[in-house]
Amino acid sequence: MRYGYILRLALCAALMTLSLSAVSAEQSTREERKAIEAGNKAYRNKDYAQALEYYSLAIDANPNSLVALFNQALATVQTGNALPGEQQNKKDEMMAKATDAFANVAKHGADNPSLASRASYNMGNIAFNKKDYQGAIDSYKQALRLNPSDADARRNLRIAQLRQEKNKDNKNENNKDKNKDKNQQQNKQDQDKKENKDNNKDQNNNNQNNKPKPKPQKPEGISQQAADRILKRSADKEKETRKRSVYGRQQGQGNDPFSAPKRGKRW
């Protein structure tokens, strides 16, 4: 099944003309009919700008004219499709305007179910071409409710449903890929953090090993001069002590009653 068929069906609904057998004279005016006929002629000649002018005149003559509103929406779509690619914003505006016109027609299903069904069908085609598959599905279903025998609406409904399913599958795959990439990125970040932590640890160890060890401090000593003075004082003190000791012994021997008698001359 070719999805491109949707595009070719975007404006398959035929232009509508007023029929006095279908529309009472109270609902239509001569000016309205003439304007619609002139607009249809310009449309068939692919002069869509001229057609829009005539359909606008018909709506001015009868603001409740569903036919003029429907045909005006068709001409608006054709005008938008003719715009070059660099005017995409303008094209989107015209498609939105056409959708609003079709929606106004589709609301009158009780008054004109055939025309309302065609309006819903074209709304579905515009939505599909914008890749609004849910909007297209809703519009095709509405067209089928108004006209269950519309084979084109039924076929396009199935195409839109298949495209929506495929779009969901692609979205799920993309989400899986994104989650996978996210997990891989997170794992890489965790690995980088671990490597940085290990590198910092190794660097700290290297810095600790390369840090100069403090030299053992030598006990504070005294200068050579001070040492000499101390030794001299010690020696002087020892000398003085010995001198006093000798002097004390000598004194003691003179006073001791038990000391040996001195030798003298013999009488």
Side-chain angles (χ1 to χ4, degrees), residues 134-152:
Q134 186 58 53
I137 290 171
D138 294 340
S139 294
Y140 292 140
K141 287 182 177 180
Q142 177 63 18
L144 288 170
R145 279 192 288 267
L146 294 168
N147 182 14
S149 62
D150 190 342
D152 290 336

Side-chain angles (χ1 to χ4, degrees), residues 16-18 22-23 27 65-67 70 105-120 146:
M16 301 299 294
T17 59
L18 282 174
V23 181
Q27 294 175 307
S65 177
L66 297 180
V67 172
F70 179 89
V105 175
K107 290 189 299 185
H108 295 83
D111 300 329
N112 194 334
S114 177
L115 190 61
S117 175
R118 295 184 183 187
S120 297
L146 294 168

Side-chain angles (χ1 to χ4, degrees), residues 44-58:
R44 293 188 183 97
N45 291 331
K46 297 184 180 181
D47 188 355
Y48 304 118
Q50 186 66 52
L52 284 173
E53 292 182 7
Y54 283 122
Y55 295 139
S56 294
L57 291 175

Side-chain angles (χ1 to χ4, degrees), residues 110-136:
D111 300 329
N112 194 334
S114 177
L115 190 61
S117 175
R118 295 184 183 187
S120 297
Y121 174 83
N122 282 341
M123 288 173 60
N125 291 338
I126 293 174
F128 184 95
N129 289 331
K130 292 193 307 180
K131 297 184 179 180
D132 179 10
Y133 303 121
Q134 186 58 53

Side-chain angles (χ1 to χ4, degrees), residues 8 18 40 42-43 82 92 102 171 178 199 224 242:
R8 295 198 296 274
L18 282 174
N40 290 351
Y43 185 97
D92 292 341
F102 283 133
K171 186 176 181 180
K178 288 181 181 179
N199 291 335
Q224 185 63 40
R242 289 179 180 177

